[in-house]
Amino acid sequence: SSAASDVYKRQGMNMRKAFLITIVLLLVTAAPASSEGWKYNTALYGWLSGMSGTIGVMGGDGAPVDASFEDLASFLDFAMGVHFEAVNPKMVLLTDIWYVNLGSTQNGEVAGQPVEIELDMVQWIVELGGGYRINEDFTFLVAGRYYVLDMGETSSGIGEGTSTEASQSWGDLFIGARYNKLLAEKWIVGLRGDIGAGGSDFAWFGEAVLGYRFTERWSAIAAYRILDLDHTGDEGDNYFKYDLAQNGLGVGVGFSF
């Protein structure tokens, strides 16, 4: 493999380590100092999302994007999400982190010489928020989300090769609500929606959840999620447009304590 490929592999391993360390820190530090009256729920999940919308750089109207999860799956290097929340009869504190790394290698020829081009994209979505429980089932939420999008291109085969990188990050504030209901002590149903803005001109999120409790502590969860962002960055050479909806099925395992 090329030196550039080794670099990306090391970066991927470092991202995985950082992700796992973050999970441990969340579980250790996110809980309130006093556990009286609090319950804790955590989940590891995968989000089988596609993308549709427009991405543009350096002016212009941007390029349309319409890719299902099946289209993106062959480029998937690593993806995982973690959700944690602390709940008492009146309050909810929550955090959610989603990480995905997509990569692709293309081979071709330039001036009769073989060339290898590696493309890499990393996305982080980090949510922190809290809410007031109006009753046992219904919660009013206020949250912030921060997005990081790192893109890189490395070519090798001619001279010393070239490497370019670009990074975009922004954040939004949201208000919303969710409804969770436990049926027959086993089935979990839920709905959540929120709207917001900030770094985005407008953004919204929706989720429908169905879960099954195998025991008091362990559960399986399926959810259909959609996150729609309309963000436009700086003008000129730093122009960046991200007007995309990510949507698809999420599946995971939950643990309560």
Side-chain angles (χ1 to χ4, degrees), residues 55-100:
I55 293 181
V57 295
M58 297 181 66
D61 296 327
V65 176
D66 187 7
S68 66
F69 173 75
E70 290 78 7
D71 297 328
L72 299 175
S74 60
F75 304 110
L76 184 64
D77 290 337
F78 181 76
M80 184 176 287
V82 59
H83 181 88
F84 177 85
E85 59 184 58
V87 183
N88 73 14
K90 288 296 183 182
M91 292 180 58
V92 174
L93 303 175
L94 61 87
T95 186
D96 191 281
I97 299 175
W98 170 248
Y99 169 83
V100 61

Side-chain angles (χ1 to χ4, degrees), residues 184-235:
E185 300 299 323
K186 290 292 185 182
W187 291 96
I188 305 163
V189 294
L191 293 172
R192 175 181 170 177
D194 55 54
I195 59 173
S200 299
D201 297 326
F202 183 72
W204 65 274
F205 173 79
E207 181 178 58
V209 178
L210 178 64
Y212 183 80
R213 296 179 63 182
F214 295 101
T215 69
E216 185 176 346
R217 296 189 180 275
W218 292 97
S219 58
I221 304 163
Y224 187 85
R225 321 176 89 201
I226 179 168
L227 175 64
D228 192 307
L229 305 175
D230 184 0
H231 166 76
T232 302
D234 298 330
E235 300 296 329

Side-chain angles (χ1 to χ4, degrees), residues 92 94 127 130-135 137-143 145 174-180 190-196 204-209:
V92 174
L94 61 87
E127 176 184 273
Y132 176 75
R133 300 185 70 190
I134 297 172
N135 55 43
D137 303 325
F138 191 82
T139 304
F140 173 77
L141 296 171
V142 177
R145 290 195 188 96
F174 290 82
I175 58 171
R178 75 175 184 183
Y179 175 84
N180 285 339
L191 293 172
R192 175 181 170 177
D194 55 54
I195 59 173
W204 65 274
F205 173 79
E207 181 178 58
V209 178

Side-chain angles (χ1 to χ4, degrees), residues 2 5 8 14 20 23 27 46 51 55 96 174 247:
S2 67
S5 179
Y8 279 123
N14 290 336
L20 294 174
I23 293 173
L27 294 178
M51 296 181 177
I55 293 181
D96 191 281
F174 290 82
N247 60 89

